[in-house]
Structures are given as structure tokens and as C-alpha cells.
Amino acid sequence: MARVVELSYYPVKGCAGTSAGEALLTPAGLAHDRSFMVVSEDGVYRTQRRDPLLAVIRPLITPDGDHLTLTAPGTESLHLRVDTSGTRRKVDLFGAAYQGIDQGDGAADWLTDVLGAPSRLVRTPPEHDRVTDGRTPGTSGYADSSALHVISRSTLDHLNTRLTARGAHPLPLNRFRPNIVIDGWDDPHTEDRAHRLRIGDTDLGYTKLAIRCAVTLVDQHGGTRAGPEPLRTLAAYRRAAQGGVAFGTKYAVLRPGRVAVGDEVSVTVWGESEL
């Protein structure tokens, strides 16, 4: 029987995640997931691809979303009252234009100091109406694409077997920054074919394979590049038809609700892998 064994959400895009025993699943994903984003002074999103030190910033948001705390090694914590009604500014995410509510000069100064580059913090406005692509349309905050990223333990175990066979070190799941980790599927990459999932009282619809990038090369504890793995090994057996290497899958939320570690995962629709 397949079950949820880990839940994680990432309040600030690119920064460290928060583990949860249970969480509200909204149409845009786990509550508070990627609802904030660090941007340049021009409003262009920052990512671990270019700013790996984002990984050492640890956000903590209150359940009501009203207060955000940011911590990082070697500096005092920043405590913010979240602004959800301030002036909107244009932000750029992968070349697409969205709106963000700037969280003020205090947050900007703190992030600039930690990252060593002029930065500001924005939040999705209440009217954020992004539509995501893939086989099942949906929405999300400032996530790369769909609302949820799912990986199974067997998928990671298979990769780590290949890594150790090449003399490389096994990697932790946080290199891939999933929202939901599933155990109980014997075959690796079962999530490729699980095109509709029921978890607790929620339903998820498959959107696409997760195409991996240089973020997987970043040590999530130290905020430093530690490549070339896993991309070198994944390229040997996980090349996707549309280009790149795939590891894990993305889902849209079809029916919101609550999810918890220990929930049974049922596949209600199977399909062919797009690999």
C-alpha cells in the first residue's frame, strides 16, 4: 500500500523548505507554498540556478500567513508582518509577467545582505490568477509550473543505487525539493504513470514530468554547487522526449482538502509515461 511519508512546502521560492505532518491543500498547492519570491531590483525572479545561497535562507510562516520570519547563518533573523494589500509591482518569472506585493525595504536590505546582490521580496496578491500548463491545467503561486511536485522513495533509491555504482555519493531528497514523497510503490518512476491520484479527501491530476535543472546540483544545507551529480547520472537513463532529464512528476489540484503523512495514496487513473 502506497502512503505519503513526507510533506514539504517552500514559502519563499528558492529558499529552504518546511516539513509538515499535515497541511491544507489549496488549488495552488500546499498552503503557503511559493507564495513569496525574491526578485532583483528590476523584478526578475531569483533562483538557486544563479543564487545558490537562497538555499540557506529558512522561512517560517504562521498558519494564518500573517507573519513571516527569515533566518540565515551569520545574521539576525528578520520578522515581517506580511503585506497583502500594498502596491503591486511587475515581476518576471521565466519571462512571464505577474504581479507581486513588495514586502518593504527591511526585507530588501536583509536579502541583499545575505545574497550579496540587490534583492527584494514580493508576495502573490490575493487576485493572483495564474494558469499553469500541462495535461491537466491548474494554478500555482510562484512555483516553476504546476502546484505540486511528487517523488516516490523507490525513484530516489534507484537513482542512489546508480550513483553509488559509479562511485558517487547518494543524494538526499531535498536536492529535488518535492512537496509530497510517496513510499510503497515497488517500481521506480511509478509516478510517471500515475495520472490521477487520490490522497485523503483530495484528488490530483498529472500535468507533466519534472524536468531537472542545475538546482539539483546545489547542496541544500550549504548553499554551494556540488555537481555534476545527479544530472550526469540521470542523463544516462532519464532523457525526456521533449528534452532535458526527468525525475519526479508535477500535478494540478483537482479537489482541495487536507493531506497528512500516513495518508493512503490511490491511483485512480493510470497512463503511459511521457519519458
Side-chain angles (χ1 to χ4, degrees):
M1 180 183 297
R3 293 193 180 276
V4 175
V5 291
E6 291 185 38
L7 290 172
S8 298
Y9 61 96
Y10 305 81
V12 182
K13 180 179 178 63
C15 295
T18 299
S19 296
E22 64 175 348
L24 176 66
L25 182 60
T26 76
L30 297 180
H32 309 304
D33 188 61
R34 279 95 170 184
S35 56
F36 296 85
M37 182 167 65
V38 182
V39 298
S40 68
E41 289 184 314
D42 295 331
V44 178
Y45 73 106
R46 291 203 180 280
T47 167
Q48 287 187 31
R49 299 171 188 84
R50 297 186 298 268
D51 298 284
L53 278 175
L54 284 167
V56 307
I57 299 174
R58 298 198 165 273
L60 178 64
I61 192 162
T62 55
D64 60 11
D66 287 344
H67 294 86
L68 177 70
T69 298
L70 300 179
T71 63
T75 189
E76 292 187 6
S77 299
L78 175 74
H79 304 281
L80 289 174
R81 182 170 182 83
V82 176
D83 185 353
T84 59
S85 61
T87 302
R88 277 65 170 158
R89 62 172 294 166
K90 291 181 180 180
V91 296
D92 177 302
L93 178 59
F94 295 109
Y98 297 102
Q99 296 289 309
I101 300 174
D102 194 283
Q103 297 301 300
D105 290 342
D109 292 343
W110 191 91
L111 288 164
T112 297
D113 181 61
V114 171
L115 297 175
S119 302
R120 302 197 71 86
L121 183 68
V122 298
R123 185 194 185 278
T124 53
E127 69 276 11
H128 185 72
D129 61 353
R130 179 184 183 188
V131 177
T132 55
D133 62 0
R135 285 196 176 185
T136 307
T139 188
S140 68
Y142 291 132
D144 279 6
S145 57
S146 306
L148 290 168
H149 175 31
V150 176
I151 293 178
S152 67
R153 280 201 183 277
S154 59
T155 294
L156 178 69
D157 290 345
H158 183 70
L159 169 63
N160 280 335
T161 297
R162 285 176 171 262
L163 287 171
T164 55
R166 300 182 70 151
H169 294 293
L171 295 176
L173 266 169
N174 67 10
R175 279 289 186 97
F176 303 96
R177 301 170 62 81
N179 295 115
I180 298 176
V181 180
I182 296 171
D183 198 9
W185 285 336
D186 293 336
D187 295 331
H189 306 291
T190 295
E191 57 268 38
D192 288 9
R193 300 181 292 104
H195 285 189
R196 185 156 178 168
L197 298 179
R198 179 160 296 155
I199 303 175
D201 60 355
T202 72
D203 286 310
L204 314 180
Y206 171 92
T207 64
K208 63 176 74 172
L209 298 173
I211 303 301
R212 310 318 307 209
C213 67
V215 171
T216 60
L217 307 180
V218 177
D219 178 343
Q220 296 296 301
H221 293 293
T224 57
R225 289 282 182 92
E229 298 295 1
L231 294 182
R232 181 177 64 180
T233 294
L234 287 173
Y237 73 105
R238 290 291 297 175
R239 287 194 177 274
Q242 69 269 42
V245 295
F247 191 83
T249 50
K250 302 289 186 75
Y251 289 86
V253 178
L254 300 178
R255 182 170 60 164
R258 297 199 71 84
V259 292
V261 170
D263 279 350
E264 182 179 350
V265 179
S266 299
V267 180
T268 57
V269 176
W270 292 97
E272 295 297 321
S273 171
E274 292 188 293
L275 189 68

